[in-house]
Amino acid sequence: MTLLPKTNRAVKLKVIFCVQAVLSPLLSNLALDELDRELERRGHRFVRYADDCNIYVRSARAGQRVMERVSGFITNQLKLQVNQAKSAVARPQRRKFLGFSFTWDREPKRRIAPKALARFKQRVRELTCRTRGVSLEARVAELRTYLRGWRSYFGFCQTPWVRVPLDAWLRRRLRSVMWKQWKRFGRRVKELCKRGVSRDWAVRIASSGLGPWRLSHQPSICQALPNAFFDALDLPRLAAGS
C-alpha cells in the first residue's frame, strides 16, 4: 500500500469461497498462493489479504486488460469464481482495502475508509443505546474493549485528525445516556448542582423540553460531565489530546 504512486489506478478482484468464515482466510491463502506467484511472474504490483486483492496499474485501459486476464486465470486455472459485483477498475481513493482507503492529496495518505467509520458509529450506537438497562460503568467497560481494539487497528492510518470528532461524538453519546438515566427533574437538578453547575442553570436545563441528544451538547451538561469525567472511568481516547 505504501508503494502506490499518485498516478496509479487500481483493479480490485474479490474472490468468493463457500467455506466457514473461521477457515476462510486460511483456505483463501492456500488456494490463492498460485495467484500470487502468477501476478509476480507477470510483474504486477499488488496487495492481497485472504480473498481480497488489489492490483495497481497505470491507466484505465491497462486496468481493464488486467481485470480480464486475471479474472480468466482465476476462473479457468484456479476454478474459482470472481465476484463481479465487488470487482472494479477505479482509482485507489474510491476503493477500500481492509478498512482503509487513500486520500486525494498530491501525496496520497492512508485513511480510514468511510464504510469503516460508518461501522464504527453503528457499533457505538448499539453499545450506547439509551434504552439499554445497564449502568454507565458497564457501558464503558464494553466500549473500552471495542475502542482499544479499533484504535490499535486503525492507528495505522495517516490521517489521525479524523479520530478527534469521533471522540467528541462518543462522549456526547454518553452524556445523553447519563441525562436519560437521571430521568426526573429533581434528580437532574441535584446531579448538575453536585457537579458544579449553578442552581439557576441546573433548573433551566432540567426544565428544558429538548431531548437528551440536543441537551448533551449544552455547556452546562459538558461542565457537569467533562472529558476528565470519562477519563477517570478509563474510557480510551481515539486521538491524543482530543
Side-chain angles (χ1 to χ4, degrees):
M1 296 172 68
T2 58
L3 299 177
L4 178 65
K6 63 185 178 184
T7 56
N8 279 3
R9 297 170 186 261
V11 175
K12 184 171 183 179
L13 302 178
K14 192 85 168 181
V15 183
I16 303 302
F17 295 91
C18 295
V19 296
Q20 301 256 341
V22 175
L23 297 178
S24 181
L26 174 60
L27 295 182
S28 298
N29 284 331
L30 292 174
L32 296 178
D33 182 65
E34 189 174 344
L35 173 63
D36 293 346
R37 293 199 297 269
E38 179 65 18
L39 294 177
E40 290 172 354
R41 186 185 67 78
R42 297 185 185 190
H44 290 311
R45 301 171 70 181
F46 69 97
V47 58
R48 181 181 68 80
Y49 179 82
D51 62 353
D52 201 349
C53 181
N54 286 0
I55 304 172
Y56 300 104
V57 296
R58 292 188 176 280
S59 68
R61 180 178 297 180
Q64 293 293 347
R65 183 175 64 251
V66 170
M67 171 75 82
E68 293 175 5
R69 293 178 179 177
V70 175
S71 295
F73 175 82
I74 292 173
T75 301
N76 301 323
Q77 299 297 319
L78 302 183
K79 308 302 181 183
L80 299 172
Q81 182 180 359
V82 175
N83 187 339
Q84 299 295 343
K86 293 186 178 180
S87 302
V89 177
R91 290 186 177 276
Q93 295 89 340
R94 298 188 181 279
R95 307 298 291 184
K96 66 179 181 67
F97 183 71
L98 302 180
F100 291 93
S101 62
F102 292 97
T103 66
W104 290 88
D105 301 333
R106 184 176 182 83
E107 294 295 332
K109 295 181 175 63
R110 290 182 303 275
R111 64 171 180 168
I112 304 171
K115 286 186 178 180
L117 291 174
R119 285 195 300 270
F120 169 84
K121 286 195 168 185
Q122 179 57 36
R123 181 56 178 155
V124 169
R125 287 190 182 99
E126 293 170 0
L127 295 175
T128 59
C129 178
R130 293 194 295 270
T131 59
R132 293 182 67 207
V134 297
S135 66
L136 179 66
E137 291 73 15
R139 293 175 190 271
V140 171
E142 292 176 327
L143 284 167
R144 188 182 303 123
T145 300
Y146 178 68
L147 294 177
R148 284 175 176 168
W150 193 90
R151 183 181 61 186
S152 177
Y153 183 82
F154 286 105
F156 186 62
C157 79
Q158 295 175 309
T159 56
W161 53 86
V162 301
R163 301 197 296 264
V164 175
L166 292 180
D167 273 328
W169 174 78
L170 171 58
R171 291 190 291 260
R172 187 176 176 184
R173 294 274 312 174
L174 291 174
R175 290 184 182 108
S176 66
V177 166
M178 291 289 290
W179 187 252
K180 181 74 173 180
Q181 289 183 343
W182 289 342
K183 293 184 179 179
R184 296 180 178 83
F185 172 83
R187 171 77 184 280
R188 289 173 171 174
V189 172
K190 179 180 178 181
E191 291 290 346
L192 290 174
C193 291
K194 183 173 67 176
R195 298 166 189 272
V197 178
S198 68
R199 182 170 181 79
D200 180 53
W201 274 107
V203 170
R204 290 188 186 186
I205 295 298
S207 303
S208 173
L210 299 178
W213 177 249
R214 293 184 66 181
L215 284 174
S216 65
H217 200 51
Q218 294 294 319
S220 294
I221 303 294
C222 294
Q223 177 187 346
L225 299 170
N227 296 348
F229 171 78
F230 298 108
D231 291 340
L233 292 174
D234 197 21
L235 179 72
R237 295 197 183 200
L238 300 176
S242 62

